[in-house]
Amino acid sequence: QVQLVESGGGLVQAGGSLRLSCAASGRTFRKYAMGWFRQAPGKEREFVATISGSGAFTYYADSVKGRFTISRDNAKNTVYLQMNSLKPEDTAVYYCAQRGLADIASVVSEYAYWGQGTQVTVSS
């Protein structure tokens, strides 16, 4: 079984930056794609970014392209989400997830394991 723990959330003013981290327990972490999703109160969970097992391929939601960067360090079993130029509409709980396959995916149902989430609040 895989356990994922997110960290790095907090309160930031519009235009600011945060870096989220997700630490994974799996011994074959490098074989699997990872994703970041977010969920605002009363809204459905939405895709943010994904990265392939090797780290060679990434894909982003249109709403965050050019502002967010997903990366991974397979030696540390960790995936990151660097968030720049933050906007109030980025406010949400951010979740890290691990897929059961190596290729990138943007659909919630394709991910097998989920972290507890970390709150990101962007003030105007």
Side-chain angles (χ1 to χ4, degrees):
Q1 183 63 276
V2 172
Q3 291 185 331
L4 305 173
V5 181
E6 302 97 335
S7 62
L11 175 64
V12 64
Q13 291 186 333
S17 298
L18 285 173
R19 188 176 80 157
L20 306 184
S21 298
C22 173
S25 64
R27 62 183 182 179
T28 56
F29 175 77
R30 67 186 181 279
K31 296 182 179 179
Y32 305 110
M34 300 292 293
W36 285 98
F37 294 78
R38 65 189 183 187
Q39 188 167 25
K43 307 295 183 181
E44 69 177 45
R45 192 165 299 187
E46 68 174 358
F47 168 73
V48 175
T50 182
I51 186 167
S52 61
S54 68
F57 300 98
T58 60
Y59 181 71
Y60 299 89
D62 287 343
S63 60
V64 306
K65 285 181 180 177
R67 299 189 299 121
F68 291 11
T69 302
I70 188 171
S71 62
R72 66 192 296 159
D73 185 341
N74 287 342
K76 294 182 177 180
N77 273 28
T78 302
V79 63
Y80 305 95
L81 185 69
Q82 178 67 47
M83 304 185 294
N84 299 325
S85 301
L86 283 162
K87 304 174 181 179
E89 51 262 46
D90 295 319
T91 296
V93 175
Y94 283 70
Y95 296 91
C96 174
Q98 183 171 305
R99 201 186 182 200
L101 297 169
D103 295 341
I104 56 176
S106 60
V107 181
V108 168
S109 62
E110 291 292 328
Y111 289 83
Y113 307 102
W114 294 83
Q116 187 175 348
T118 186
Q119 177 71 47
V120 172
T121 302
V122 184
S123 64
S124 59

